[in-house]
Amino acid sequence: MKTIWRNATLATLADDRGWGLLERGALVCERDQIVWIGADTQLPEGLNAAEEHDLAGALLTPGLVDCHTHLVYAGDRAEEFELRLEGASYEEIARRGGGIASTVAATRAAGDRQLHALALNRARALLMQGVTTLEVKSGYGLSAEHEARCLRIARRLGRELPLTVKTSCLAAHALPPEFAGRADDYIDAVCSWLPALAAEGLVDAVDAFCENIGFTTEQTRRVFETARQLGLPVKLHAEQLSDQHGAAMASQFCALSCDHLEYLGSDGIAAMAKTGTVAVLLPAAFYFLREKTLPPVQALRDAAVPIALATDHNPGSAPLLAPLLVLNMACTLFRMTPEEALRGMTLNGARALGLGDRGRLAVGQRADFVAWETGHPRDLCYWIGRDPVKQVISGGEKVE
Ligand code: NIG
Ligand code: FE
């Protein structure tokens, strides 16, 4: 069954550079794939399409890929937000047992239905703003049982909503209270949980928080070794608050991505460039924590490391469900160009998840795209708080 989408300005991002603009363009989908793309006037005859949609001059871009979120949690950290405004730092709050630990307590205490409903609402909000592929991390359960529960909820989101969900096991996110003072034992425990989580099909990638308030590079390496034995790709929260040389280590495991990277040094950049590891920048966390050290955007460009962008949605450092605001922040705070920003949340976001079948408008790509009520793709990075979504199309079907 074919569907035609016509009379749109396509921003295909099909080439390595440029928007790939095609005015008065059209595309044809068959089931969940794009099978033809070109000028509206050149649509092939006799397509015998089941449906034809006139987009009335809308802008069409690939569906957004939010490649880094912590969507499954209960509670919030508004009180901590207030404390920080009264002078406490993120690190101090974490050391005092607040921060991630408080979200772990709230998440463990929440019932299955409640935890699922909270995550479903967040995922739906992102979908309605154009996100058709979503990564969801665990990391607020921190026990075999609770990590599995969070990952099962993440999987359910992908079954219940018309979007693709990729899961990452972030059990090595923080030290749970029952392992206080025993970080190495906790890492042993995490390594022992991974085979069963993987066997249940809950883990698309393994992530860790390598930081002086998280885990050391050596502890992270042990988690990655287990991932490698299980044939699972890895990604890393690296160099967010200090340079732990985590990115260089993660590159030894051919990490799909290293994320945050404000303190990334030249060793990490060179290592990432060599292995094609994607740099996932998270301007919302940078903004919300009022970080001062910028990620090395120009050095990443010079080394041709692909740059992706994501919301990092979580209650502690990025309580936002606003993908276009993240594009704007990447431009204003990190001085990325609008084209780099959009590519970051489409093509390069997909790469950060190991997905080559999406992120561009091209024949053979998955039919995930968004029609926007605006004329030029740079507008998506420019306006703040406007909702330009006209129609989200996921897997070739309209999202209602
Ligand atoms: O990506 N850096 C570690 N993890 C999250 C924050 C988690 C939290 O504060 O709850 C992040 O920013
Ligand atoms: Fe994160």
Side-chain angles (χ1 to χ4, degrees):
M1 184 188 104
K2 290 197 177 78
T3 312
I4 303 176
W5 300 86
R6 59 191 309 177
N7 193 15
T9 298
L10 311 187
T12 64
L13 302 175
D15 301 318
D16 289 347
R17 272 168 200 285
W19 295 105
L21 280 183
L22 186 58
E23 307 222 357
R24 282 180 289 283
L27 53 80
V28 180
C29 304
E30 187 157 6
R31 285 183 297 272
D32 62 358
Q33 273 210 355
I34 299 173
V35 293
W36 186 89
I37 190 160
D40 202 284
T41 51
Q42 318 240 292
L43 263 170
E45 304 266 316
L47 277 172
N48 204 5
E51 285 174 35
E52 186 173 312
H53 304 278
D54 185 341
L55 290 166
L59 169 74
L60 213 62
T61 70
L64 302 181
V65 178
D66 192 352
C67 68
H68 181 140
T69 81
H70 307 246
L71 273 199
V72 186
Y73 63 88
D76 65 61
R77 305 245 286 281
E79 199 184 321
E80 180 181 310
F81 174 63
E82 201 174 13
L83 279 174
R84 283 201 290 115
L85 285 164
E86 288 162 7
S89 74
Y90 184 68
E91 274 148 308
E92 273 160 27
I93 290 168
R95 287 192 200 285
R96 275 194 237 154
I100 296 176
S102 66
T103 301
V104 172
T107 303
R108 288 178 174 181
D112 291 351
R113 283 172 65 123
Q114 184 200 1
L115 198 54
H116 166 256
L118 288 167
L120 186 66
N121 275 338
R122 294 172 191 136
R124 190 179 283 126
L126 290 170
L127 170 66
M128 297 323 285
Q129 293 174 85
V131 173
T132 49
T133 301
L134 179 65
E135 185 254 19
V136 179
K137 300 177 195 299
S138 62
Y140 292 120
L142 309 188
S143 71
E145 174 201 343
H146 286 284
E147 284 293 296
R149 182 167 84 125
C150 293
L151 290 166
R152 283 186 202 117
I153 288 172
R155 273 278 180 264
R156 262 181 83 182
L157 303 178
R159 289 195 297 270
E160 293 166 346
L161 293 174
L163 47 68
T164 304
V165 169
K166 295 293 264 180
T167 58
S168 300
C169 178
L170 179 59
H173 191 198
L175 203 54
E178 58 277 16
F179 279 88
R182 296 189 295 128
D184 283 315
D185 292 349
Y186 180 63
I187 291 297
D188 288 343
V190 169
C191 293
S192 75
W193 305 336
L194 281 173
L197 295 172
E200 201 184 319
L202 295 175
V203 187
D204 294 323
V206 173
D207 196 346
F209 184 28
C210 182
E211 191 52 69
N212 47 35
I213 57 163
F215 296 94
T216 65
T217 310
E218 280 319 302
Q219 288 162 344
T220 305
R221 181 192 294 280
R222 287 207 281 133
V223 176
F224 284 2
E225 270 159 6
T226 305
R228 178 148 68 190
Q229 280 158 20
L230 295 167
L232 296 172
V234 302
K235 20 179 57 294
L236 186 64
H237 282 71
E239 278 63 283
Q240 180 186 9
L241 306 168
S242 61
D243 189 1
Q244 304 284 320
H245 306 282
M249 185 278 295
S251 301
Q252 291 168 10
F253 292 83
C254 295
L256 287 174
S257 71
C258 291
D259 305 34
H260 286 287
L261 302 176
E262 280 81 347
Y263 288 82
L264 180 68
S266 51
D267 63 324
I269 296 172
M272 289 173 71
K274 218 162 147 188
T275 48
T277 297
V278 177
V280 178
L281 303 185
L282 305 166
F286 175 91
Y287 159 82
F288 197 73
L289 299 179
R290 298 188 76 232
E291 292 297 328
K292 298 286 177 290
T293 301
L294 286 161
V297 172
Q298 189 55 45
L300 289 167
R301 285 186 187 120
D302 293 344
V305 173
I307 301 177
L309 293 170
T311 62
D312 191 20
H313 176 88
N314 75 76
S317 67
L320 93 172
L321 291 163
L324 296 189
L325 177 57
V326 170
L327 299 188
N328 176 273
M329 287 177 172
C331 298
T332 53
L333 299 172
F334 296 170
R335 312 311 290 165
M336 285 172 64
T337 66
E339 185 204 316
E340 286 174 322
L342 186 64
R343 215 174 262 279
M345 209 177 266
T346 51
L347 187 64
N348 290 340
R351 274 185 78 165
L353 298 175
L355 296 170
D357 67 344
R358 65 197 71 197
R360 294 177 296 139
L361 298 178
V363 170
Q365 289 267 294
R366 206 182 133 78
D368 288 349
F369 43 90
V370 185
W372 310 90
E373 210 92 61
T374 201
H376 194 281
R378 65 180 163 239
D379 303 349
L380 302 176
C381 304
Y382 168 70
W383 296 106
I384 299 174
R386 188 175 170 212
D387 177 18
V389 173
K390 180 182 168 92
Q391 180 67 56
V392 181
I393 295 99
S394 184
E397 297 199 5
K398 278 186 177 183
V399 174
E400 303 299 348

